[in-house]
Amino acid sequence: MADLSVDEPASSLGPGIPVSSLPAKGRVVCHGQVESVTFMPADQTAAYTAIVSDVERERPALRTASGQRGRLRVVWLGRRRVPGIDAGTEVRLEGMVTQSQGLPTMFNPRYEILSSQENE
């Protein structure tokens, strides 16, 4: 994995690793496609959650050891919405991965939108 310096922009780091190849924890740059998003009700603490999985068109055979596509939960705390992060959007994420409720999770990552599904 590339050494990440604070001054180096995420766009210069390449696409990153696929979601199915994430370590159990640590700092990573990864890429995937937003599978789904979750909005928190107005009476709960603000958080915007997205499930990101491997980009199927690039790596259709990529699976985890259990035979399922890799999945990553991404949580933006204190946000009710993150512009551009919708189902179908391809993203590159940079941040710390940890395990939460049995799923790799990244809180408040840096992100870059690589594409979106505008005409589909």
Side-chain angles (χ1 to χ4, degrees), residues 15-27:
I17 62 174
V19 172
S20 58
S21 300
L22 288 174
K25 59 181 170 177
R27 178 168 283 286

Side-chain angles (χ1 to χ4, degrees), residues 7-98:
D7 297 328
E8 189 173 4
S11 61
S12 69
L13 299 173
I17 62 174
V19 172
S20 58
S21 300
L22 288 174
K25 59 181 170 177
R27 178 168 283 286
V28 298
V29 175
C30 65
H31 71 280
Q33 188 169 28
V34 178
E35 192 176 288
S36 63
V37 295
T38 303
F39 301 90
M40 296 304 286
D43 63 342
Q44 293 184 9
T45 304
Y48 188 76
T49 303
I51 300 296
V52 176
S53 60
D54 289 320
V55 179
E56 196 68 25
R57 70 177 173 358
E58 288 180 1
R59 302 172 186 261
L62 256 176
R63 304 285 176 180
T64 62
S66 64
Q68 297 182 353
R69 287 175 62 188
R71 297 177 81 201
L72 170 69
R73 177 188 297 119
V74 183
V75 181
W76 284 272
L77 298 170
R79 306 281 303 265
R80 297 248 177 241
R81 186 88 173 96
V82 178
I85 303 296
D86 295 304
T89 303
E90 190 175 339
V91 294
R92 176 184 6 242
L93 302 162
E94 177 186 349
M96 295 294 291
V97 173
T98 187

